[in-house]
Amino acid sequence: MVATVRPARAENGRRDLMDIAIDCFARYGYQGTSIDRIAKAAGVTKGAIYHHFKDKEELLFDAVKTRVGQFERRVASDLTPVDDAAQALQEVTRVCLEHATRSNHRRFIVTLMVEALDTNARLSAEFRDMMIRFRAFLRSIIELGQKRGAFRGDVNAATAAGVYAAAVMGAEIQYYQDPETIDLEESLGMFVEQFLMWLRRPSPRAARRK
Amino acid sequence: MVATVRPARAENGRRDLMDIAIDCFARYGYQGTSIDRIAKAAGVTKGAIYHHFKDKEELLFDAVKTRVGQFERRVASDLTPVDDAAQALQEVTRVCLEHATRSNHRRFIVTLMVEALDTNARLSAEFRDMMIRFRAFLRSIIELGQKRGAFRGDVNAATAAGVYAAAVMGAEIQYYQDPETIDLEESLGMFVEQFLMWLRRPSPRAARRK
């Protein structure tokens, strides 16, 4: 057992530093967060940080991967196994709402994702893959609903997944910009209502067959 | 007439500089664009730029106001007078699609809007007002449709306007991030289809009355 203590402890130290770093990034932005600031917030030396991470970008990159992974595992575990596709789609917005309003980490991820578009190709590719996975997950739910006959079969599930992801992201950004005006829960609820009403409609072909 | 030539020319010079500046901002980002770079691109001295604008932030601020104003006037003129509310909502997405794909200016506005959230309170307030105006415009179309009986009357038009604005913005961001995967025209078309199907539905109260 003794042999495993050291790596486990090192892993914890790394994880703790990452949590503190992402708190700093979320609060002061990437530009406003120095390794020095993170070290002070963590109560460690700058050397201790450089022991775990090459530089600030590496730390940001790992922090983003970690947070995104946590969000994806959370969504997947809350929703597995998917039985009722419509209920699962409602559940995804519930998790998004919780993440958007509970801490500033989700805001950090979304704003950084847009900022990275034109400033950091490597980070932007990571976010692109995150969105591809999110849309693939939504698509699989929609296709399950189609297979089970709950959703109309004549719509492109991939495009529909993109519409869903777009509406959630856009609502979040409006909420971050104007929390006094935008009721995120009401907005997401209204969108899902529209989306499900449209998906549940019988396909024109099925209607014609009758 | 002579008296008006000089101010008109100065106004043109200012407008030309702004067009060139926003091209630079869109191409190299705010951080990557210096007054020097704008001056070189415009073929003028730095002094000529400082004659019109206090500093880079002032130039950015004016450029954003100008571009947003152009977009809003374009939407308003394409859509006035609004007669058919459903057709008007389809038309708004058509203008958004055109602006998102024709030049990189719309991308610049959207990415800068998100970036400004945590970095520039004054610019962020300007973007917030822009979104408030956009939602108010959409809301007025929805309310017109409700008044004329084309849309169900039991939905909150302000929230619905927010859902519409969110879906368009989110679709745009996904397209900027991943133009190979996202078909923006198809995405926007599918969203408007859902939105109108939902809005056109008779209200539960009206259905109950029958």
Side-chain angles (χ1 to χ4, degrees):
Chain A
M1 284 303 282
V2 174
T4 65
V5 167
R6 203 182 285 265
R9 220 181 249 163
E11 199 34 61
N12 278 346
R14 191 186 153 87
R15 216 181 305 151
D16 289 346
L17 282 181
M18 210 133 70
D19 283 345
I20 290 161
I22 207 165
D23 259 335
C24 290
F25 286 137
R27 202 169 299 176
Y28 309 109
Y30 179 65
Q31 304 294 339
T33 302
S34 60
I35 289 286
D36 202 44
R37 180 166 247 168
I38 297 168
K40 275 193 187 125
V44 300
T45 62
K46 280 165 76 169
I49 293 182
Y50 285 118
H51 174 71
H52 289 291
F53 305 95
K54 203 181 80 193
D55 53 24
K56 197 174 83 168
E57 190 179 316
E58 193 66 36
L59 181 48
L60 176 75
F61 198 75
D62 284 3
V64 165
K65 283 181 89 156
T66 304
R67 280 281 174 249
V68 167
Q70 282 170 353
F71 177 72
E72 288 177 342
R73 276 192 300 277
R74 170 69 198 285
V75 171
S77 79
D78 274 23
L79 285 170
T80 307
V82 173
D83 184 47
D84 181 328
Q87 202 183 308
L89 289 173
Q90 279 165 325
E91 188 67 12
V92 174
T93 58
R94 202 193 50 71
V95 176
C96 288
L97 174 71
E98 196 192 310
H99 274 248
T101 52
R102 202 189 46 182
S103 80
N104 53 359
H105 290 172
R106 173 86 191 154
R107 173 185 176 138
F108 173 66
I109 292 292
V110 169
T111 54
L112 189 67
M113 181 177 89
V114 175
E115 202 183 324
L117 275 178
D118 294 315
T119 58
N120 190 324
R122 188 172 154 231
L123 197 58
S124 193
E126 188 70 31
F127 282 123
R128 196 189 56 226
D129 291 348
M130 171 188 89
M131 290 303 294
I132 287 173
R133 286 192 303 270
F134 187 46
R135 287 192 299 262
F137 177 70
L138 293 167
R139 179 187 178 163
S140 71
I141 298 176
I142 294 167
E143 285 176 340
L144 181 79
Q146 289 178 317
K147 224 173 97 186
R148 300 220 173 144
F151 294 161
R152 55 195 276 193
D154 66 332
V155 302
N156 184 327
T159 308
V163 168
Y164 184 105
V168 171
M169 192 202 305
E172 262 186 70
I173 292 172
Q174 288 186 102
Y175 166 73
Y176 298 142
Q177 185 185 55
D178 200 351
E180 315 284 310
T181 308
I182 299 294
D183 184 326
L184 186 57
E185 185 167 8
E186 200 188 337
S187 298
L188 292 177
M190 188 184 275
F191 168 73
V192 173
E193 185 190 316
Q194 291 168 14
F195 193 74
L196 290 178
M197 178 179 290
W198 171 78
L199 262 181
R200 279 174 175 149
R201 243 195 138 212
S203 73
R205 220 171 299 157
R208 238 179 281 135
R209 243 182 263 134
K210 279 175 194 171
Chain B
M1 283 300 286
V2 174
T4 65
V5 167
R6 203 182 283 266
R9 220 180 248 163
E11 199 35 61
N12 278 345
R14 190 186 155 87
R15 215 181 305 152
D16 288 347
L17 281 180
M18 209 133 72
D19 282 346
I20 289 160
I22 207 163
D23 258 333
C24 290
F25 287 137
R27 201 170 298 177
Y28 310 108
Y30 179 65
Q31 303 295 339
T33 302
S34 60
I35 290 287
D36 203 43
R37 179 167 247 167
I38 298 168
K40 276 194 186 123
V44 300
T45 63
K46 282 164 75 169
I49 294 182
Y50 286 119
H51 174 71
H52 289 291
F53 305 96
K54 202 182 81 195
D55 52 23
K56 196 173 84 168
E57 190 179 316
E58 194 64 39
L59 182 48
L60 177 74
F61 197 76
D62 283 3
V64 164
K65 284 182 88 158
T66 304
R67 280 281 174 248
V68 167
Q70 283 170 353
F71 177 72
E72 289 176 342
R73 275 193 301 277
R74 170 69 199 282
V75 171
S77 79
D78 274 23
L79 284 169
T80 306
V82 173
D83 183 48
D84 181 329
Q87 202 183 308
L89 290 173
Q90 280 167 324
E91 188 67 10
V92 174
T93 59
R94 202 193 51 70
V95 177
C96 288
L97 173 71
E98 196 191 310
H99 274 248
T101 53
R102 203 188 45 182
S103 81
N104 53 0
H105 292 171
R106 174 84 191 157
R107 173 184 177 140
F108 172 66
I109 292 293
V110 169
T111 54
L112 188 68
M113 180 178 88
V114 175
E115 202 183 324
L117 275 178
D118 294 316
T119 58
N120 191 324
R122 188 172 155 233
L123 197 57
S124 194
E126 188 68 31
F127 282 123
R128 195 189 56 227
D129 292 347
M130 170 189 90
M131 290 304 295
I132 288 173
R133 286 194 302 270
F134 186 47
R135 287 192 299 263
F137 177 70
L138 293 167
R139 178 187 178 162
S140 71
I141 298 176
I142 295 167
E143 286 177 341
L144 181 79
Q146 290 178 318
K147 225 174 95 186
R148 301 222 173 141
F151 295 161
R152 54 196 275 192
D154 66 333
V155 302
N156 184 327
T159 307
V163 168
Y164 184 104
V168 171
M169 193 201 305
E172 261 186 71
I173 292 172
Q174 288 186 101
Y175 166 73
Y176 298 142
Q177 185 185 55
D178 200 350
E180 315 284 309
T181 308
I182 300 294
D183 184 326
L184 186 58
E185 185 167 8
E186 200 187 336
S187 298
L188 293 177
M190 188 184 274
F191 168 73
V192 173
E193 186 189 315
Q194 292 168 14
F195 193 75
L196 290 178
M197 179 180 289
W198 170 79
L199 262 180
R200 279 172 174 150
R201 244 194 136 211
S203 73
R205 218 171 301 156
R208 237 179 281 136
R209 243 182 263 135
K210 282 176 192 170

mmCIF file of all heavy atoms in Angstrom, chain B residues 146-167:
data_model
loop_
_atom_site.group_PDB
_atom_site.id
_atom_site.type_symbol
_atom_site.label_atom_id
_atom_site.label_comp_id
_atom_site.label_asym_id
_atom_site.label_seq_id
_atom_site.Cartn_x
_atom_site.Cartn_y
_atom_site.Cartn_z
ATOM 1 N N GLN B 146 -49.711 37.734 -32.235
ATOM 2 C CA GLN B 146 -50.717 37.382 -31.221
ATOM 3 C C GLN B 146 -51.974 38.231 -31.382
ATOM 4 O O GLN B 146 -53.090 37.738 -31.323
ATOM 5 C CB GLN B 146 -50.127 37.559 -29.813
ATOM 6 C CG GLN B 146 -49.046 36.512 -29.459
ATOM 7 C CD GLN B 146 -48.449 36.720 -28.089
ATOM 8 O OE1 GLN B 146 -48.158 37.851 -27.687
ATOM 9 N NE2 GLN B 146 -48.231 35.630 -27.349
ATOM 10 N N LYS B 147 -51.738 39.539 -31.618
ATOM 11 C CA LYS B 147 -52.845 40.486 -31.762
ATOM 12 C C LYS B 147 -53.731 40.118 -32.956
ATOM 13 O O LYS B 147 -54.953 40.226 -32.909
ATOM 14 C CB LYS B 147 -52.275 41.897 -31.968
ATOM 15 C CG LYS B 147 -52.954 42.980 -31.142
ATOM 16 C CD LYS B 147 -52.252 44.311 -31.272
ATOM 17 C CE LYS B 147 -52.847 45.208 -32.320
ATOM 18 N NZ LYS B 147 -52.052 46.454 -32.517
ATOM 19 N N ARG B 148 -53.056 39.676 -34.018
ATOM 20 C CA ARG B 148 -53.810 39.342 -35.241
ATOM 21 C C ARG B 148 -54.382 37.925 -35.209
ATOM 22 O O ARG B 148 -54.980 37.475 -36.185
ATOM 23 C CB ARG B 148 -52.888 39.486 -36.458
ATOM 24 C CG ARG B 148 -52.335 40.889 -36.589
ATOM 25 C CD ARG B 148 -52.354 41.356 -38.025
ATOM 26 N NE ARG B 148 -51.974 42.753 -38.095
ATOM 27 C CZ ARG B 148 -51.204 43.274 -39.044
ATOM 28 N NH1 ARG B 148 -50.753 42.487 -40.010
ATOM 29 N NH2 ARG B 148 -50.904 44.556 -39.047
ATOM 30 N N GLY B 149 -54.091 37.206 -34.118
ATOM 31 C CA GLY B 149 -54.648 35.853 -34.008
ATOM 32 C C GLY B 149 -53.865 34.773 -34.741
ATOM 33 O O GLY B 149 -54.284 33.623 -34.786
ATOM 34 N N ALA B 150 -52.708 35.138 -35.313
ATOM 35 C CA ALA B 150 -51.903 34.136 -36.016
ATOM 36 C C ALA B 150 -51.124 33.269 -35.021
ATOM 37 O O ALA B 150 -50.862 32.091 -35.272
ATOM 38 C CB ALA B 150 -50.934 34.829 -36.966
ATOM 39 N N PHE B 151 -50.758 33.857 -33.893
ATOM 40 C CA PHE B 151 -49.993 33.138 -32.864
ATOM 41 C C PHE B 151 -50.847 32.943 -31.611
ATOM 42 O O PHE B 151 -51.717 33.777 -31.312
ATOM 43 C CB PHE B 151 -48.736 33.927 -32.472
ATOM 44 C CG PHE B 151 -47.714 34.077 -33.565
ATOM 45 C CD1 PHE B 151 -46.743 35.081 -33.493
ATOM 46 C CD2 PHE B 151 -47.691 33.215 -34.662
ATOM 47 C CE1 PHE B 151 -45.793 35.228 -34.495
ATOM 48 C CE2 PHE B 151 -46.738 33.352 -35.667
ATOM 49 C CZ PHE B 151 -45.790 34.367 -35.578
ATOM 50 N N ARG B 152 -50.591 31.895 -30.889
ATOM 51 C CA ARG B 152 -51.306 31.649 -29.644
ATOM 52 C C ARG B 152 -51.045 32.788 -28.655
ATOM 53 O O ARG B 152 -49.937 33.339 -28.582
ATOM 54 C CB ARG B 152 -50.896 30.310 -29.040
ATOM 55 C CG ARG B 152 -49.411 30.185 -28.853
ATOM 56 C CD ARG B 152 -48.991 28.749 -28.621
ATOM 57 N NE ARG B 152 -49.124 28.414 -27.203
ATOM 58 C CZ ARG B 152 -48.629 27.324 -26.665
ATOM 59 N NH1 ARG B 152 -47.982 26.438 -27.424
ATOM 60 N NH2 ARG B 152 -48.771 27.069 -25.393
ATOM 61 N N GLY B 153 -52.056 33.137 -27.888
ATOM 62 C CA GLY B 153 -51.940 34.298 -27.011
ATOM 63 C C GLY B 153 -51.473 33.978 -25.605
ATOM 64 O O GLY B 153 -51.201 34.879 -24.808
ATOM 65 N N ASP B 154 -51.328 32.674 -25.310
ATOM 66 C CA ASP B 154 -51.028 32.298 -23.927
ATOM 67 C C ASP B 154 -49.537 32.129 -23.654
ATOM 68 O O ASP B 154 -49.159 31.485 -22.693
ATOM 69 C CB ASP B 154 -51.772 31.001 -23.566
ATOM 70 C CG ASP B 154 -51.243 29.819 -24.373
ATOM 71 O OD1 ASP B 154 -50.735 30.051 -25.498
ATOM 72 O OD2 ASP B 154 -51.312 28.684 -23.880
ATOM 73 N N VAL B 155 -48.673 32.684 -24.507
ATOM 74 C CA VAL B 155 -47.237 32.574 -24.228
ATOM 75 C C VAL B 155 -46.648 33.959 -23.968
ATOM 76 O O VAL B 155 -47.123 34.966 -24.495
ATOM 77 C CB VAL B 155 -46.460 31.899 -25.380
ATOM 78 C CG1 VAL B 155 -47.018 30.511 -25.667
ATOM 79 C CG2 VAL B 155 -46.473 32.748 -26.646
ATOM 80 N N ASN B 156 -45.621 33.975 -23.148
ATOM 81 C CA ASN B 156 -44.924 35.208 -22.820
ATOM 82 C C ASN B 156 -44.061 35.610 -24.017
ATOM 83 O O ASN B 156 -43.052 34.968 -24.320
ATOM 84 C CB ASN B 156 -44.077 34.954 -21.565
ATOM 85 C CG ASN B 156 -43.382 36.209 -21.079
ATOM 86 O OD1 ASN B 156 -43.003 37.077 -21.867
ATOM 87 N ND2 ASN B 156 -43.227 36.312 -19.771
ATOM 88 N N ALA B 157 -44.451 36.693 -24.689
ATOM 89 C CA ALA B 157 -43.760 37.102 -25.914
ATOM 90 C C ALA B 157 -42.312 37.513 -25.627
ATOM 91 O O ALA B 157 -41.421 37.300 -26.453
ATOM 92 C CB ALA B 157 -44.517 38.248 -26.586
ATOM 93 N N ALA B 158 -42.056 38.081 -24.447
ATOM 94 C CA ALA B 158 -40.687 38.508 -24.109
ATOM 95 C C ALA B 158 -39.774 37.283 -23.950
ATOM 96 O O ALA B 158 -38.654 37.274 -24.460
ATOM 97 C CB ALA B 158 -40.696 39.322 -22.817
ATOM 98 N N THR B 159 -40.263 36.268 -23.256
ATOM 99 C CA THR B 159 -39.460 35.049 -23.087
ATOM 100 C C THR B 159 -39.246 34.371 -24.440
ATOM 101 O O THR B 159 -38.140 33.906 -24.746
ATOM 102 C CB THR B 159 -40.144 34.068 -22.114
ATOM 103 O OG1 THR B 159 -40.451 34.756 -20.905
ATOM 104 C CG2 THR B 159 -39.237 32.883 -21.793
ATOM 105 N N ALA B 160 -40.306 34.335 -25.248
ATOM 106 C CA ALA B 160 -40.200 33.714 -26.573
ATOM 107 C C ALA B 160 -39.167 34.441 -27.430
ATOM 108 O O ALA B 160 -38.380 33.812 -28.144
ATOM 109 C CB ALA B 160 -41.566 33.707 -27.259
ATOM 110 N N ALA B 161 -39.141 35.776 -27.329
ATOM 111 C CA ALA B 161 -38.141 36.560 -28.075
ATOM 112 C C ALA B 161 -36.730 36.164 -27.628
ATOM 113 O O ALA B 161 -35.813 36.054 -28.446
ATOM 114 C CB ALA B 161 -38.371 38.047 -27.852
ATOM 115 N N GLY B 162 -36.554 35.924 -26.330
ATOM 116 C CA GLY B 162 -35.254 35.492 -25.805
ATOM 117 C C GLY B 162 -34.856 34.118 -26.316
ATOM 118 O O GLY B 162 -33.688 33.883 -26.636
ATOM 119 N N VAL B 163 -35.821 33.216 -26.415
ATOM 120 C CA VAL B 163 -35.544 31.868 -26.928
ATOM 121 C C VAL B 163 -35.086 31.954 -28.382
ATOM 122 O O VAL B 163 -34.115 31.302 -28.792
ATOM 123 C CB VAL B 163 -36.796 30.962 -26.794
ATOM 124 C CG1 VAL B 163 -36.628 29.662 -27.569
ATOM 125 C CG2 VAL B 163 -37.083 30.668 -25.322
ATOM 126 N N TYR B 164 -35.762 32.802 -29.144
ATOM 127 C CA TYR B 164 -35.406 32.991 -30.561
ATOM 128 C C TYR B 164 -33.979 33.553 -30.678
ATOM 129 O O TYR B 164 -33.148 33.028 -31.417
ATOM 130 C CB TYR B 164 -36.426 33.935 -31.198
ATOM 131 C CG TYR B 164 -36.265 34.167 -32.680
ATOM 132 C CD1 TYR B 164 -37.114 33.567 -33.594
ATOM 133 C CD2 TYR B 164 -35.271 35.012 -33.168
ATOM 134 C CE1 TYR B 164 -36.983 33.793 -34.961
ATOM 135 C CE2 TYR B 164 -35.126 35.232 -34.524
ATOM 136 C CZ TYR B 164 -35.990 34.628 -35.417
ATOM 137 O OH TYR B 164 -35.847 34.856 -36.761
ATOM 138 N N ALA B 165 -33.701 34.621 -29.928
ATOM 139 C CA ALA B 165 -32.370 35.253 -29.988
ATOM 140 C C ALA B 165 -31.281 34.273 -29.557
ATOM 141 O O ALA B 165 -30.188 34.245 -30.117
ATOM 142 C CB ALA B 165 -32.338 36.504 -29.109
ATOM 143 N N ALA B 166 -31.598 33.443 -28.558
ATOM 144 C CA ALA B 166 -30.635 32.459 -28.052
ATOM 145 C C ALA B 166 -30.309 31.426 -29.116
ATOM 146 O O ALA B 166 -29.140 31.093 -29.338
ATOM 147 C CB ALA B 166 -31.198 31.764 -26.809
ATOM 148 N N ALA B 167 -31.343 30.905 -29.764
ATOM 149 C CA ALA B 167 -31.131 29.848 -30.754
ATOM 150 C C ALA B 167 -30.284 30.351 -31.918
ATOM 151 O O ALA B 167 -29.403 29.638 -32.407
ATOM 152 C CB ALA B 167 -32.472 29.324 -31.245
#
